[in-house]
Structures are given as C-alpha cells and as structure tokens.
Amino acid sequence: MHLKEFGEYTKELVAKKRTNPKDDLISQLIAIEEEGERLDESELISMITLLIFAGHETTSNLIATGSMMLFDHPEQLDQLKANLHLVPTAVEELLRFNGPSTSVGPRFAKEDLELAGQSIKKGDMLLVMVKSANRDEEKFSNSDELDITRDVHRHLAFGFGMHMCLGAPLARVEGDIAFTTLLNRLPNLRLSIPPEEVNWQFSLSSQGLESLPVSF
C-alpha cells in the first residue's frame, strides 16, 4: 500500500469510527479531538499514521534486519542461542549496529555556526545520519563490529530528547519477545539462500529487507 492510499484508508477509518465508535485507541483519539483545542483533523490523521508506522513497520524491519545480521555473524548467533538472557542487550546492539532508521527528519540551523570545519548558515537544512552516529569510533570501541554483549548506554536508533521515537518502548518489547521466541522455538533457524541474494530496500530515512527466506 502506497502512502497516499494509506492516508485515504486512514481517513475512511476515522470517518467510520466517528459514526460507530468502539473501545479502541482511534475512537479515543477522536473523542479527544472532538473535545476541541487538542487534536484537529490533520493532527489526528498524522498521529494515527505515526502510531502505526512507529509500532509496526520499523519493528518488522528490526526483526528481519537483526536476524540477517545474526546470520552474517554466526558466532554471535551461537552465543545468543546459548544464553537467551542476552536478548535485550543484543537488541540494543542490533539497533546500534544496523538498525532500521538511517537518518532523522530535517533540522534547520537557528544560527550561523561551524561544525567540524563545515560552515553552516542560519536556516540551512541539516540531515542527521543515524547510522554514521551509531558507528562513531569515539563513542563505541570497535564500532564496526557486532558484539551482542556490548553495554550500549546510548545510541540514536530511536532519536533523542524531544524527538525520541514514540514507539521506542514498544519496539524494544517486541524485539525482545520476537528474538527470544524465534531462538527458543526454532534453534536451527538459518538463512535458506546465499546472503548475496537477499534484497534490501533503502530510502532516505530507513532500510529493510524485501524478504528473508529461512529454514528451520
């Protein structure tokens, strides 16, 4: 489904919930909107879209991409299978090492400044490359290596501060459950095609896999 089609679907869904509200989140958001001075129609549609993508698409990419990274590092996969208590730590490392977000939304300079020798003028648009920041060798030792035991105090896979991803707590829980369940139930899980045949999808702000054929 394309973004435009998804937007139309969301509008239709909201219209149906207005006339036939249920005990669900969208109906509650509509009720808040109708109280006035909280959410207007465009904000309501935007919020619903954010909740769906923040809680589903990026997490799906985390599970698929994270699995691929473990297949690419069999010694790390074996270590994780031998100790599933490492899953929460592994999820943070997978997010840091090659998470689903590649950059954040545009930022605009509030004043003239120089950053790492680069002149930036007030009003210039900047793109923060999350993948680059998460491989910062001054922040992470051996930053280009996957280490599921790494104590990752902070990464930028979910953004930071007021721009922190709304779905971060849910994504972490989903990641923990998904990898624990997969490796517990399917200990022989493995890639069923050559790694070079796995097709990736890239956009300016995200990455994912078209599919991940596996055997178990």
Side-chain angles (χ1 to χ4, degrees):
M1 181 181 292
H2 296 294
L3 188 58
K4 182 178 179 181
E5 295 173 334
F6 181 79
E8 292 299 320
Y9 168 78
T10 305
K11 289 181 181 179
E12 292 177 7
L13 183 61
V14 168
K16 290 179 180 178
K17 294 292 184 180
R18 284 191 192 281
T19 58
N20 188 25
K22 302 289 185 180
D23 184 19
D24 57 58
L25 180 59
I26 293 178
S27 296
Q28 292 179 30
L29 289 172
I30 291 171
I32 291 173
E33 178 216 11
E34 291 176 345
E35 291 180 15
E37 297 185 2
R38 294 198 181 183
L39 292 174
D40 60 28
E41 178 78 8
S42 63
E43 291 171 336
L44 177 62
I45 299 297
S46 178
M47 176 63 74
I48 293 171
T49 302
L50 173 63
L51 287 170
I52 290 174
F53 279 98
H56 172 67
E57 184 184 42
T58 51
T59 305
S60 298
N61 288 339
L62 163 63
I63 295 167
T65 302
S67 296
M68 184 66 198
M69 293 303 97
L70 291 172
F71 295 147
D72 278 344
H73 298 80
E75 75 290 346
Q76 296 287 301
L77 177 57
D78 288 342
Q79 186 176 8
L80 188 57
K81 288 193 293 186
N83 184 4
L84 293 179
H85 293 295
L86 287 174
V87 167
T89 303
V91 167
E92 296 301 322
E93 174 67 350
L94 291 169
L95 285 164
R96 180 205 70 84
F97 183 74
N98 203 13
S101 296
T102 56
S103 69
V104 300
R107 305 288 187 260
F108 296 90
K110 298 175 66 176
E111 59 186 33
D112 294 345
L113 72 150
E114 183 174 306
L115 182 63
Q118 177 67 47
S119 177
I120 299 173
K121 300 297 184 182
K122 181 179 179 179
D124 282 354
M125 183 178 74
L126 308 175
L127 290 177
V128 179
M129 305 309 295
V130 171
K131 288 176 66 66
S132 178
N134 283 339
R135 296 288 187 96
D136 185 353
E137 61 275 6
E138 294 185 4
K139 176 64 177 177
F140 306 102
S141 60
N142 301 315
S143 59
D144 287 333
E145 296 181 9
L146 179 68
D147 179 4
I148 63 168
T149 66
R150 187 190 301 271
D151 186 10
V152 184
H153 293 292
R154 189 174 73 186
H155 56 68
L156 294 181
F158 292 122
F160 182 72
M162 66 181 294
H163 298 290
M164 187 73 173
C165 174
L166 181 67
L170 176 61
R172 285 188 164 103
V173 171
E174 290 176 325
D176 291 353
I177 293 173
F179 284 107
T180 299
T181 304
L182 275 173
L183 299 179
N184 188 45
R185 295 184 180 180
L186 307 173
N188 295 318
L189 187 69
R190 59 194 182 278
L191 192 62
S192 62
I193 63 173
E196 59 272 15
E197 293 183 11
V198 174
N199 293 321
W200 290 78
Q201 294 179 325
F202 295 97
S203 70
L204 181 61
S205 61
S206 65
Q207 66 175 15
L209 302 178
E210 290 184 1
S211 63
L212 186 63
V214 297
S215 301
F216 51 87

